[in-house]
Amino acid sequence: MKFTVHTLGCKTNQAEGFNIQRTLCEAGYTIADIHEKPDICIINTCSVTSKSDQQSRQLINKYSNKNIRVIVTGCYSEMNYDKLKLLNPEIEVIRNKEKLDLIRNFFKEFKKISNPYIHPRHRPAVKVQDGCNNACSYCVIPMTRGRSRSIDLQEIIEEVLHYESLGYKEIVLTGIHLGAYGADLNPKISLAELLKKILNKTKFIRFRLSSLEVKEIDDELLEVLSEKRICKHLHIPLQSADKDILSAMNRTYSVEQYRATIEKILYLFPYAALGTDVIVGFPGENNDAFHNTKNLLEEMPFSYLHIFPYSPRPYTIAMKLPQQIDDKIKKSRSMMLKAIGDAKKVSFINRNIGKVKQVIIESMSGKGFIGTSEDYIKVYLPKNEDVSEGKLVNAMIDSYKNSVAIGLPLIQHQTYSKI
């Protein structure tokens, strides 16, 4: 029996989508493209913005009329569970909390066999945590995902070891609120302790952390980040650099705390890649508030920026706030900040010209390959007998062109093999 999975949204959702694929493959099912007329289509939705909602609806509508079994899960379906069940009773809607039990609950013929699952990406994400205890005024995720829950340590280690045994060279550790890992376990452990344990259990694979809140980056975590196999790349959401907007967002740090943490990280790791998220046009963001954010972004040595126009989400406090910002103003401000982000990206790559990076080759591009360095630089490498998808290659950054660093391969590293 053939199936297809379509996943939208964050790395955690992506990790869950791949786990569904892996479990189905091990049950004897075959992955198929939608054009191959699969028997089952699983749509793993997202609801972080109104655009995500729209994309989710489009996928559901697209595949609901193809005479195949359609199963919908994820955050959009969680927010719209009753509506989806009413409007289209033919589709099956799975709650988020039941997502990873989806296979056993809805495929009674499930029987684990030894069919291999080949992960479609060369840097697989491993989910270590789900849910969020924060109450940011603009966010629906605590409603769709529930409170913070940590994955059992042994389960994480087994998944990591599985990927290392297949020859993968990098794993991205991800969660909805990654820095909260372990706080709900008994006994409690920290994210830093998790990293120490998986480093101790593995041999060569490197690890990258997904988004972290600034208040959760403490001395213990910074000490572990000095380990060679931890990528010197942190993504730390700012959202705004105006104290009144941060307060209205219910973000629990100050601009001064954020700045001090970034400066400490760069003092310890001068060549680290630092990225951030910024929400533009939050209710009440006047010109002064916007320029406070703009000025800080210009001043701080970020490697890249992710800019999001504020998107009103149902049932959130922010949706009811006065002084909602016009979409044209949001667009104009977003373009200004994206220009700053583009310039910072170029500056960071230029700083690294002449330096040697370890690049995981991920895909073919034109007459060469594209890969990702330990500090999150996308690197183009020309065709070479020692360069192929999945390999970890030493490459010197030679130049920058068309938003991509140009690298020259130097030394062949361990070969990459998939079963």
Side-chain angles (χ1 to χ4, degrees):
M1 189 172 288
K2 297 183 292 186
F3 74 96
T4 185
V5 178
H6 293 272
T7 298
L8 299 171
C10 66
K11 283 186 172 64
T12 302
N13 217 37
Q14 297 289 333
E16 291 170 344
F18 291 134
N19 276 341
I20 291 170
Q21 288 183 338
R22 176 180 168 186
T23 308
L24 276 173
C25 284
E26 290 174 344
Y29 290 82
T30 303
I31 296 177
D33 186 85
I34 194 66
H35 303 296
E36 299 176 82
K37 297 181 179 180
D39 304 284
I40 304 162
C41 176
I42 300 170
I43 303 172
N44 189 17
T45 64
C46 176
S47 192
V48 71
T49 65
S50 57
K51 183 177 180 180
S52 302
D53 280 356
Q54 181 184 24
Q55 292 171 332
S56 297
R57 286 192 299 269
Q58 288 172 342
L59 275 176
I60 293 169
N61 292 334
K62 180 178 180 180
Y63 297 120
S64 294
N65 300 312
K66 291 191 177 289
N67 297 317
I68 58 177
R69 184 180 182 186
V70 176
I71 299 174
V72 180
T73 188
C75 291
Y76 173 78
S77 61
E78 187 74 24
M79 290 294 292
N80 297 275
Y81 183 83
D82 293 331
K83 181 179 178 182
L84 284 172
K85 296 281 284 186
L86 181 64
L87 291 178
N88 197 335
E90 293 183 0
I91 65 173
E92 300 170 56
V93 186
I94 310 301
R95 296 283 193 183
N96 262 337
K97 64 182 180 181
E98 300 167 346
K99 182 188 292 186
L100 297 187
D101 291 326
L102 181 153
I103 311 305
R104 293 168 180 83
N105 290 343
F106 287 86
F107 299 94
K108 302 303 182 183
E109 64 272 31
F110 175 82
K111 181 181 179 182
K112 189 165 184 175
I113 58 177
S114 57
N115 281 356
Y117 168 62
I118 299 176
H119 200 288
R121 295 186 180 177
H122 297 290
R123 299 186 302 116
V126 170
K127 172 184 164 183
V128 304
Q129 181 275 341
D130 199 353
C132 183
N133 295 345
N134 288 345
C136 298
S137 65
Y138 52 83
C139 186
V140 299
I141 300 306
M143 294 180 241
T144 63
R145 292 274 183 172
R147 293 185 63 78
S148 179
R149 306 175 305 284
S150 302
I151 306 300
D152 178 74
L153 174 62
Q154 189 57 39
E155 186 177 334
I156 295 169
I157 289 174
E158 287 176 2
E159 187 170 3
V160 166
L161 289 174
H162 169 75
Y163 286 125
E164 186 175 58
S165 71
L166 297 180
Y168 288 87
K169 301 299 187 291
E170 178 182 308
I171 284 174
V172 181
L173 298 178
T174 186
I176 298 299
H177 186 182
L178 182 61
Y181 178 80
D184 59 314
L185 296 178
N186 186 16
K188 295 181 179 181
I189 68 172
S190 65
L191 178 62
E193 290 174 299
L194 169 66
L195 287 170
K196 291 176 185 177
K197 290 181 183 296
I198 61 177
L199 284 170
N200 185 53
K201 293 288 185 179
T202 56
K203 296 178 181 179
F204 61 81
I205 199 165
R206 76 186 187 191
F207 296 92
R208 189 183 305 272
L209 300 176
S210 64
S211 183
L212 285 170
E213 294 295 330
V214 69
K215 290 179 68 175
E216 292 154 357
I217 301 174
D218 55 18
D219 289 343
E220 182 188 26
L221 183 59
L222 290 174
E223 181 181 353
V224 180
L225 287 174
S226 66
E227 295 287 341
K228 184 177 180 180
R229 287 195 285 132
I230 304 293
C231 293
K232 305 305 180 284
H233 164 221
L234 293 174
H235 189 89
I236 310 169
L238 170 65
Q239 307 304 12
S240 174
D242 181 83
K243 64 181 182 64
D244 293 331
I245 296 299
L246 279 179
S247 177
M249 289 177 168
N250 204 24
R251 303 288 287 175
T252 58
Y253 52 86
S254 67
V255 178
E256 291 74 23
Q257 286 175 313
Y258 189 94
R259 184 197 299 270
T261 300
I262 295 297
E263 290 175 348
K264 185 173 185 178
I265 293 168
L266 290 175
Y267 174 77
L268 295 171
F269 310 108
Y271 299 104
L274 295 179
T276 194
D277 294 334
V278 176
I279 295 175
V280 177
F282 189 82
E285 185 189 67
N286 57 27
N287 285 331
D288 288 343
F290 170 70
H291 282 285
N292 285 338
T293 299
K294 178 175 178 288
N295 292 340
L296 183 72
L297 294 178
E298 288 176 328
E299 175 188 341
M300 301 296 287
F302 292 110
S303 309
Y304 63 91
L305 308 177
H306 288 169
I307 309 300
F308 301 93
Y310 167 70
S311 180
R313 309 309 299 128
Y315 314 113
T316 61
I317 293 172
M319 189 174 183
K320 302 175 183 177
L321 290 175
Q323 297 178 285
Q324 297 283 330
I325 306 300
D326 184 80
D327 286 345
K328 290 182 180 179
I329 295 176
K330 291 181 192 177
K331 183 176 181 180
S332 173
R333 291 176 178 175
S334 295
M335 290 176 66
M336 281 190 269
L337 297 191
K338 286 177 180 178
I340 293 171
D342 290 342
K344 287 189 173 294
K345 179 181 176 181
V346 173
S347 176
F348 181 70
I349 293 175
N350 283 334
R351 280 175 52 200
N352 283 281
I353 289 178
K355 292 185 170 64
V356 175
K357 305 291 180 181
Q358 289 192 321
V359 180
I360 292 179
I361 310 303
E362 296 178 86
S363 62
M364 293 191 67
S365 178
K367 296 182 179 181
F369 295 88
I370 291 286
T372 301
S373 71
E374 66 271 32
D375 50 1
Y376 207 55
I377 296 175
K378 291 297 179 183
V379 182
Y380 173 85
L381 296 172
K383 278 190 176 179
N384 181 292
E385 62 181 11
D386 292 331
V387 178
S388 60
E389 284 191 42
K391 281 192 174 181
L392 183 63
V393 177
N394 270 357
M396 185 186 73
I397 305 299
D398 179 67
S399 58
Y400 176 80
K401 184 179 181 181
N402 297 330
S403 300
V404 177
I406 310 300
L408 301 177
L410 300 179
I411 303 172
Q412 181 177 352
H413 270 236
Q414 293 172 312
T415 58
Y416 175 85
S417 60
K418 288 183 177 180
I419 58 173

